[in-house]
Amino acid sequence: MRPKPRLRLRPRPPGPSGARRLARRHPGALLALFLCSTGGALAALALPAALGHTVDRLVDGGPVPWAGLLLCAVLTLAETGFDAGAAVLTTSTGARLTAHLRTRTTARVLAAEPRRALAVPTGDLTARLTARTADAATAPVTAAGAVAGVLLPLGAIVGLFVIDPWTAAAFLLGAPLLVALLHTFTRRTADAGADYQRAQSVIAHRLTEALDGADTIRAARTGAREYRRILEPLTTLAAHGRRTWAVYGRAAGQSALLLPLLMLLVLAVGGLRLHAGAIGVGDLVAASRYAALAVGIGSLTGALGALARSRAAARTLDPLLTLDPLPHEGLGPVPGGPGHLELRDVGVVRDGKQDGNQEGKQEGKQDGEPLLNGEPDRKPLLTGVHLTVPGGTSLAVVGRSGSGKSVFAAVVGRLLDPDTGTVLLDGVPLTAMDPALLRPEIAYAFARPALCGTTVEDTIAFGPWTAGPAAVREGARAARADGFVGLLPYGYATPLTDAPLSGGERQRLGLARAFAHPGRLLILDDALSGLDTVTEHHVRRALDERAGRCTRVIVAHRLSSAARADRVLWLEDGRVRATGPHEELWADPEYRAVFRTETGEAEETAEADEGPGAGADGALPRARTEVEAR
């Protein structure tokens, strides 16, 4: 059974942002961390007073102050216990907040309209969803744990005033220098951290580009050049890293000079006050301890640096967290509808500011950076498309490369919202339907499918609902994938990492996944390009068996795909050149020319993907081998 749809993200209303919003996820854990930090700080502040009082009792020569000694021991144990609890809570809470922030950010990206989400380059997006989320999630934990860093020096200064105002005044002489040091450190750390993160994003984006185009790089023998291009920003990255450590080094050096001087000044004044009889030996011991705690304000540099990095990371996540999900009116598909598809004056325009990263580098754009500024390069991808596809029929979408076929496939399945016009499924606009209700009704297969899951069976079962074993095997048979799956070491239980798959075999697993999740609309976006002729023939028979039960939209390159379809949509430069049965369109020589161009490319792709022995000449021997293996 299909599960009930889960609640989807709503547009985020204005309100508290950053650490405060994140802190609401685990208030109990953060409160416990705050209490542990506060308890440890209070125990540390009470210990010098108890120790000084005990020393005075010992110096006076009376009986051993066992109560004072016991109190000092209890305070020491309490400080240690609270600090240990704070350390455990810091680690565990930080991990939970990081997991939540990653999940939330990823959900926002996946729920948003793709053109908005992909405005960030892929490599940069990966860096933001991994390293940046970990940095940003530390803010509430660092803030809760920083209580001790603030309470200790402030309480120590108060303790010095209680013991002797002159020793406190001696410490306060150097306090302005210490505050200025912390302020400068925080500002410079934030700037260096932001620059470092930007350089990391450029490297991540270039590396992702190279991995996606590994075959092209290998064929062109440009590996060394790509290696240099990817690593070229390392010089900038190293410079920002050195600047970060230089900031830390200067702060550490200045504090290493300033803090001992403050300690020496406090002890010198305390010694003079002891010589004058204004304070006792125990007071001097307590004053020395309080002075050590007071100069510990320098330990705030670590917390301030973490907060600065967290703020810089949070700024990079804000554009993702503010992405609105696909709008809808809460409607659902008509129950039991046949899959009647209608497009009314549909148009799609590519905005260079948003799509430039996917369409190639444009003049003036730095590598790895999104086009967020400058004049948009607006180009129509679809214009004025009027079309009706009766439910249960098949539509082949043909045209030369760049004619808008994949854009059309994305629009009719609402992977992309049109800029103008309306797409309706069984009379209901796609934009009015709740995506959680719409998605189970549409199955997709792509030329280069992403294989999700641990095993082959997981990959085929992956979808709007988890397909059962029977549906998985039925889908594999329809896609002609059961033959090679049966030859794998563990069959359907074979881990994907142990399954050496060709391009055509990956494509068949993507088709099997689509067949295993039947809906009223099946969209194949160039999903047959990597198949040999015999395999394609069997897959098309499986598609024909769904006639009357499922509307099929097939982006076609081969003549056979168009010939078997009920109707053909011929696109040219984003416009409808003609529609009708293949036999009628075949009379147009320009229509025939489309297949003379595209068919050769498709056959070359199929031969390359399937490997030796496949394609037009090797398809039949391979098919026999699969049949015999079964």
Side-chain angles (χ1 to χ4, degrees):
M1 293 179 60
R2 301 183 186 182
K4 293 182 180 179
R6 299 177 181 176
L7 292 177
R8 291 300 188 230
L9 296 173
R10 295 184 175 87
R12 192 176 73 177
S17 60
R20 284 185 295 170
R21 186 172 57 251
L22 190 60
R24 294 175 178 174
R25 298 301 307 175
H26 295 286
L30 292 174
L31 178 61
L33 176 58
F34 172 80
L35 294 177
C36 284
S37 300
T38 304
L42 293 177
L45 289 172
L47 182 58
L51 185 61
H53 181 71
T54 303
V55 169
D56 281 337
R57 295 283 301 276
L58 290 172
V59 170
D60 289 342
V64 177
W66 293 109
L69 293 174
L70 180 61
L71 178 60
C72 291
V74 170
L75 290 173
T76 301
L77 291 175
E79 180 184 0
T80 304
F82 280 127
D83 289 345
V88 171
L89 288 169
T90 296
T91 303
S92 60
T93 307
R96 288 198 295 268
L97 290 177
T98 299
H100 165 74
L101 187 57
R102 284 177 178 165
T103 302
R104 190 70 176 175
T105 307
T106 304
R108 284 280 174 185
V109 171
L110 295 178
E113 205 273 338
R115 283 188 295 179
R116 306 292 183 263
L118 296 180
V120 179
T122 305
D124 188 13
L125 181 62
T126 303
R128 296 190 195 192
L129 293 176
T130 53
R132 303 295 179 271
T133 51
D135 289 338
T138 61
V141 175
T142 303
V147 173
V150 176
L151 187 59
L152 281 175
L154 294 180
I157 294 173
V158 173
L160 287 175
F161 269 107
V162 172
I163 293 172
D164 182 61
W166 289 102
T167 57
F171 176 81
L172 292 178
L173 284 176
L177 294 176
L178 195 56
V179 172
L181 171 64
L182 293 176
H183 178 267
T184 302
F185 169 79
T186 303
R187 177 172 51 80
R188 291 179 177 176
T189 299
D191 294 340
D195 292 339
Y196 190 88
Q197 290 173 356
R198 279 192 289 269
Q200 278 184 319
S201 298
V202 173
I203 294 176
H205 176 61
R206 293 185 180 183
L207 179 59
T208 303
E209 283 184 331
L211 292 175
D212 288 342
D215 291 339
T216 303
I217 294 170
R218 189 181 300 111
R221 300 178 64 85
T222 58
R225 188 171 66 190
E226 282 300 305
Y227 181 84
R228 291 191 298 270
R229 186 181 75 91
I230 294 169
L231 297 185
E232 184 268 333
L234 280 179
T235 304
T236 305
L237 187 71
H240 294 320
R242 286 192 296 270
R243 188 173 57 146
T244 301
W245 285 111
V247 171
Y248 274 99
R250 281 194 294 270
Q254 292 168 355
S255 61
L257 176 64
L258 179 60
L259 301 184
L261 289 177
L262 285 176
M263 278 287 296
L264 180 61
L265 182 60
V266 170
L267 291 176
V269 173
L272 292 175
R273 298 291 289 169
L274 176 64
H275 183 266
I279 60 175
V281 176
D283 291 333
L284 181 60
V285 172
S288 66
R289 289 287 301 165
Y290 280 130
L293 294 176
V295 298
I297 195 172
S299 63
L300 279 175
T301 54
L304 292 175
L307 287 173
R309 290 192 302 273
S310 179
R311 289 184 60 188
R315 284 195 293 270
T316 67
L317 294 179
D318 271 344
L320 303 181
L321 289 170
T322 53
L323 287 171
D324 288 335
L326 285 172
H328 63 84
E329 299 174 12
L331 302 180
V334 175
H340 183 87
L341 193 63
E342 184 178 359
L343 289 83
R344 299 175 181 173
D345 194 26
V346 169
V348 178
V349 178
R350 182 187 68 204
D351 190 335
K353 293 190 296 183
Q354 296 170 346
D355 292 349
N357 296 303
Q358 286 71 47
E359 300 297 330
K361 299 180 181 66
Q362 298 185 19
E363 185 178 358
K365 170 182 173 291
Q366 294 184 5
D367 184 23
E369 296 181 356
L371 290 174
L372 299 178
N373 299 308
E375 291 298 324
D377 177 21
R378 300 185 66 84
K379 175 184 176 182
L381 302 180
L382 289 178
T383 304
V385 177
H386 289 273
L387 184 68
T388 298
V389 183
T393 63
S394 60
L395 175 73
V397 185
V398 305
R400 289 187 172 87
S401 178
S403 59
K405 300 185 298 294
S406 291
V407 176
F408 178 87
V411 166
V412 297
R414 211 192 176 189
L415 294 184
L416 181 68
D417 280 344
D419 295 292
T420 60
T422 306
V423 182
L424 300 95
L425 180 62
D426 291 323
V428 182
L430 295 186
T431 53
M433 295 191 205
D434 185 341
L437 300 175
L438 172 65
R439 196 51 54 201
E441 300 295 334
I442 302 176
Y444 259 101
F446 301 95
R448 298 176 61 186
L451 302 183
C452 306
T454 304
T455 65
V456 172
E457 183 167 3
D458 292 341
T459 295
I460 300 176
F462 185 85
W465 69 93
T466 302
V472 166
R473 282 150 182 79
E474 177 61 29
R477 283 191 292 270
R480 301 291 289 177
D482 55 335
F484 74 81
V485 171
L487 298 176
L488 294 175
Y490 304 102
Y492 287 91
T494 303
L496 285 175
T497 53
D498 298 336
L501 302 174
S502 68
E505 289 168 343
R506 294 177 66 90
Q507 211 168 74
R508 278 186 270 175
L509 288 183
L511 284 165
R513 181 170 56 198
F515 284 136
H517 298 84
R520 67 183 70 187
L521 182 60
L522 174 61
I523 302 172
L524 307 186
D525 185 3
D526 203 16
L528 306 178
S529 60
L531 305 185
D532 59 76
T533 306
V534 173
T535 302
E536 182 193 9
H537 172 73
H538 287 287
V539 171
R540 294 212 170 274
R541 283 175 54 185
L543 290 172
D544 293 341
E545 291 173 359
R546 285 159 172 75
R549 297 182 288 115
C550 171
T551 302
R552 291 139 290 148
V553 176
I554 305 163
V555 173
H557 290 281
R558 293 177 177 173
L559 181 62
S560 57
S561 300
R564 296 183 68 131
D566 297 319
R567 192 179 181 190
V568 175
L569 169 65
W570 178 14
L571 292 176
E572 187 173 278
D573 296 328
R575 295 179 180 274
V576 177
R577 175 68 182 269
T579 61
H582 170 75
E583 294 79 5
E584 294 180 4
L585 298 178
W586 189 250
D588 190 329
E590 293 189 26
Y591 178 77
R592 296 196 298 271
V594 170
F595 293 97
R596 283 199 296 271
T597 302
E598 298 289 344
T599 301
E601 296 177 356
E603 290 178 353
E604 291 175 3
T605 301
E607 292 175 6
D609 285 341
E610 291 291 353
D617 297 329
L620 189 56
R622 182 182 182 96
R624 284 199 191 119
T625 301
E626 293 179 354
V627 172
E628 291 169 359
R630 290 196 297 276

